[in-house]
Amino acid sequence: MPTCREDVKGGICICLKIEMSKIFTVFGATGQQGGALIKYLLNHPRFLKIYRVRGVTRDVGKSSARALVDLGVEMVEADMNDPISLEKATRDSHTVFAMTNYWDTASRAAETAQGKALADAAVAASATLLIWSSLPRIGLPNFDSKADVEDYIRTLPITSAFFMPGWFMQNQLTFARPQQQEDGKYVLKRLFPGCESTTLVPLVDIEDIGRFLQPVLDEPERYTGMRLTGCRAFVTPVEMCRAWERVAGVEVIFEGDNNGDGEDVGVKGEKDTWGGGGKEDSPYYGPGSKEALEWTLAQMEEEPGSWEGFVERCGPWFE
Ligand SMILES: NC(=O)c1ccc[n+]([C@@H]2O[C@H](COP(=O)([O-])OP(=O)(O)OC[C@H]3O[C@@H](n4cnc5c(N)ncnc54)[C@H](OP(=O)(O)O)[C@@H]3O)[C@@H](O)[C@H]2O)c1
């Protein structure tokens, strides 16, 4: 934050103008992670004075891109499959938030190539900081591709940090929403292969992404090479169901313990179950997940939102 009180011309602090020339380029600006990060930056008392936000989309004419322009975001067109367009989009960037959407291609190789191209573009732009939306290597294509990109970024000459998002609470509003059965009862299907009633699911309200990145933005050098565990808490599917019952008064039954035969909403990988570690760990992150989360939460100036709070905010769930 600028502290100078002297260099004021026409009411505008020169230091402030210099600070505001830091371009923060956000990939996936029209999506969940990028969109939430932009909202956070535009509303944060410190960061709104430091950064000029640039958002990347394949189509600046789409309504979600135009809505961001209305908020003062510079929207530029680029395609993650086209490295030249990425170089243009990242030009003069101070900070780059890079993410890929596995589901766009459903290909590990394609997502890895996109992520590496994003990282190369950030290096070519001489960006000061690259934040990569990563995931741990747990034998699933949509995780391992991101881990491959993380490994690649670690070899590059750029200050970088890694956001490891948990299971988005927002999934429960769409493809993982409790479903009503013929008998009228609501059922929560397995969230991912091997997810049982006692499995620790790392839940994140992805609207909180900025809160997780705040420590890195404030002190990039301190967090170089570090991973931020992106969830509020580990919640079991049965506890998730209890929150619906408490908040909405509707019983939801978890359908996960059918000797492994239950239907899941998640993607299948090389293994029948996700991740690793013992019962005390979350299979999503593997061994050491609880300690990693505790450390991350201790770095943040604002607490992320809880599952119960999300259930309250996002109703009505059952109509
Ligand atoms: N859901 C979860 O629980 C969860 C948890 C952890 C990680 N993830 C990961 O999160 C990712 C999805 O993130 P999200 O939900 O924030 O995405 P999203 O809401 O589906 O939005 C995707 C964004 O990516 C952009 N995009 C896609 N392909 C592009 C391309 N070729 N060039 C330029 N931009 C492109 C889109 O921009 P335009 O369409 O405007 O061009 C859009 O802004 C996936 O990789 C998934 O594996 C999800």
Side-chain angles (χ1 to χ4, degrees), residues 30-33 57-58 62 79-80 100 102 146 168 171:
T30 58
Q32 299 192 86
Q33 297 183 62
T57 173
R58 284 164 294 184
K62 71 199 275 192
D79 190 319
M80 294 173 192
T100 41
Y102 173 81
K146 296 176 179 76
F168 299 178
N171 296 342

Side-chain angles (χ1 to χ4, degrees), residues 95 107 180:
T95 298
S107 152
Q180 193 167 28

Side-chain angles (χ1 to χ4, degrees), residues 64-298:
S64 50
R66 282 192 276 111
L68 288 168
V69 171
D70 290 343
L71 294 175
V73 177
E74 176 200 5
M75 290 299 292
V76 298
E77 266 180 22
D79 190 319
M80 294 173 192
N81 300 311
D82 172 5
I84 303 224
S85 73
L86 298 180
E87 281 202 19
K88 285 189 195 151
T90 50
R91 197 167 286 159
D92 300 325
S93 297
H94 174 275
T95 298
V96 175
F97 171 75
M99 56 77 66
T100 41
N101 184 15
Y102 173 81
W103 306 108
D104 230 55
T105 56
S107 152
R108 174 175 174 175
E111 187 178 37
T112 306
Q114 288 180 345
K116 287 182 174 179
L118 289 171
D120 288 341
V123 172
S126 303
T128 299
L129 172 64
L130 169 63
I131 300 169
W132 168 240
S133 182
S134 191
L135 279 174
R137 189 181 303 285
I138 60 167
L140 284 169
N142 54 323
F143 278 56
D144 294 359
S145 47
K146 296 176 179 76
D148 288 345
V149 175
E150 178 179 325
D151 288 347
Y152 177 70
I153 290 173
R154 289 181 185 280
T155 68
L156 298 177
I158 189 165
T159 299
S160 51
F162 305 97
F163 176 56
M164 322 292 284
W167 179 266
F168 299 178
M169 294 179 193
Q170 281 76 0
N171 296 342
Q172 305 310 135
L173 290 166
T174 53
F175 66 92
R177 203 177 178 97
Q179 289 171 22
Q180 193 167 28
Q181 308 300 291
E182 279 176 8
D183 60 7
K185 290 188 175 150
Y186 281 91
V187 163
L188 174 67
K189 294 198 183 293
R190 284 200 310 196
L191 306 182
F192 42 78
C195 179
E196 297 173 357
S197 55
T198 55
T199 296
L200 299 178
V201 182
L203 287 183
V204 63
D205 178 348
I206 202 59
E207 289 285 320
D208 286 334
I209 182 171
R211 294 182 180 188
F212 286 96
L213 302 189
Q214 163 268 319
V216 180
L217 300 184
D218 277 327
E219 294 179 90
E221 294 302 333
R222 182 169 168 204
Y223 293 95
T224 302
M226 294 197 183
R227 289 171 152 190
L228 293 147
T229 298
C231 71
R232 154 70 187 254
F234 296 107
V235 182
T236 68
V238 165
E239 287 165 347
M240 290 172 73
C241 292
R242 283 202 199 112
W244 276 306
E245 189 157 357
R246 268 197 303 270
V247 173
V250 172
E251 187 189 13
V252 180
I253 300 152
F254 177 60
E255 206 185 45
D257 291 331
N258 300 337
N259 302 318
D261 296 335
E263 200 184 319
D264 18 73
V265 298
V267 66
K268 289 219 187 302
E270 293 156 11
K271 298 187 276 184
D272 290 341
T273 55
W274 278 20
K279 281 270 176 211
E280 70 285 357
D281 292 306
S282 166
Y284 188 103
Y285 288 124
S289 46
K290 280 186 177 164
E291 293 76 10
L293 174 59
E294 214 173 288
W295 176 82
T296 299
L297 295 175

